[in-house]
Amino acid sequence: TELAVAPDSDTDYTLHNGVLRFKGRVWVGNNKIAQQHILIALHDSGVGGQYGVSATYARVKQLFAWPNLKARICETMPDLPTS
């Protein structure tokens, strides 16, 4: 609610049209279901195309942000190659 009241209070977070962003990326927070859907979509889709941890991390990080992003990728998709 602070961003809605004082939008310039923290430059890393922005609120625009009801979407919270962190450094320009959509903030997912600790919503593990949303995180899992995003990971699967970007990893398995024709756009994502079965990449390892590093490539999946880079793709997700371009659009989304959440705490411990890389660790969550490793936890959700433990069979991905790490390089």
Side-chain angles (χ1 to χ4, degrees):
T1 58
E2 185 178 332
L3 283 173
V5 175
D8 297 326
S9 63
D10 188 332
T11 57
D12 287 340
Y13 289 93
T14 57
L15 182 63
H16 184 70
N17 292 333
V19 177
L20 182 61
R21 294 181 177 270
F22 176 73
K23 296 183 179 180
R25 296 173 283 149
V26 174
W27 179 251
V28 179
N30 289 315
N31 185 331
K32 292 191 185 283
I33 294 171
Q35 293 171 6
Q36 184 174 7
H37 284 287
I38 290 165
L39 291 174
I40 290 168
L42 290 179
H43 177 261
D44 292 344
S45 73
V47 175
Q50 298 293 327
Y51 292 104
V53 170
S54 296
T56 300
Y57 173 72
R59 286 185 167 281
V60 173
K61 190 176 177 188
Q62 287 177 344
L63 302 170
F64 300 96
W66 61 75
N68 303 308
L69 176 59
K70 196 166 196 173
R72 180 73 175 133
I73 292 170
C74 293
E75 175 186 308
T76 302
M77 303 176 157
D79 296 330
L80 290 181
T82 56
S83 58

